[in-house]
């Protein structure tokens, strides 16, 4: 089981995906719902809240999760999200914040630019005739 997170300009989408790349359950949180907290804190709390809700609903626990993959705008590197112009984020160590929030230094978190993630999906769809494809992302920015 893996979590996939789409960090967009207007939302944070979180989905639990099984070994057949089927979405088991998902949650979406909108940036407009942010109250008197920093954007970075809202992103982390949305991810943590969404993952915890999904784990509780599906009766899985965090130790059963292989990894968390995050697709984000900007230039992710070494656990940091950098230069996210549409969100106003210059540099944010999302990996460290999520590991702290979950109390797990060993939590595997993969981050990749959302455009590159979308390119992979388009290429897979173009090069296959089958309806379901098992997608195993190998993020180069794994930390």
């Amino acid at each position: 089981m893996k979590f996939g997170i789409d960090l967009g300009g207007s939302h944070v989408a979180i989905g639990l995906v099984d070994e057949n790349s089927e979405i088991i359950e998902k949650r979406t949180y909108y940036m407009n719902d942010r109250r008197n907290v920093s954007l970075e804190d809202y992103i982390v709390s949305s991810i943590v809240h969404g993952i915890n809700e999904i784990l509780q609903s599906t009766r899985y626990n965090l130790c059963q999760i292989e990894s968390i993959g995050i697709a984000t705008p900007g230039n992710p590197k070494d656990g940091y999200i950098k230069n996210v112009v549409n969100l106003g984020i210059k540099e944010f160590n999302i990996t460290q914040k999520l590991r702290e929030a979950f109390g797990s230094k060993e939590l595997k978190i993969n981050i990749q630019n959302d455009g590159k993630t979308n390119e992979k999906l388009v290429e897979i769809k173009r090069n296959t005739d089958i309806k379901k494809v098992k997608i195993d992302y190998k993020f180069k920015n794994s930390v």
Side-chain angles (χ1 to χ4, degrees):
M1 303 298 265
K2 298 178 184 180
F3 275 102
I5 298 168
D6 176 27
L7 178 56
S10 63
H11 70 281
V12 178
I14 303 140
L16 178 63
V17 181
D18 69 12
E19 60 279 351
N20 296 314
S21 299
E22 296 287 331
I23 297 173
I24 304 301
E25 195 161 335
K26 61 184 176 178
R27 299 283 189 282
T28 302
Y29 301 91
Y30 295 94
M31 300 298 186
N32 291 345
D33 294 338
R34 176 173 62 104
R35 302 271 188 260
N36 299 315
V37 296
S38 72
L39 183 62
E40 291 88 345
D41 287 343
Y42 182 76
I43 290 168
V44 170
S45 66
S46 295
I47 292 170
V48 170
H49 184 74
I51 287 176
N52 285 333
E53 269 192 352
I54 292 170
L55 289 173
Q56 183 177 14
S57 172
T58 59
R59 301 186 190 269
Y60 287 101
N61 61 54
L62 193 59
C63 66
Q64 293 173 287
I65 303 304
E66 185 180 329
S67 65
I68 297 173
I70 302 173
T72 179
N75 302 310
K77 185 173 183 181
D78 299 327
Y80 285 82
I81 297 173
K82 299 180 179 188
N83 304 317
V84 184
V85 177
N86 60 333
L87 294 176
I89 296 174
K90 291 183 181 181
E91 185 174 279
F92 174 47
N93 190 340
I94 193 168
T95 300
Q96 177 186 342
K97 293 292 184 183
L98 288 172
R99 286 180 177 152
E100 288 173 1
F102 285 112
S104 174
K105 292 180 181 181
E106 304 303 316
L107 186 61
K108 184 176 178 184
I109 301 172
N110 305 306
I111 306 173
Q112 184 166 350
N113 175 273
D114 56 357
K116 297 208 181 288
T117 303
N118 288 334
E119 287 174 16
K120 286 182 182 181
L121 290 172
V122 169
E123 184 177 325
I124 289 168
K125 287 178 183 177
R126 196 176 344 179
N127 292 331
T128 184
D129 292 325
I130 60 176
K131 295 194 187 252
K132 291 184 182 177
V133 178
K134 182 176 180 186
I135 301 171
D136 186 20
Y137 289 107
K138 302 274 190 239
F139 290 103
K140 68 178 182 180
N141 292 318
S142 296
V143 287

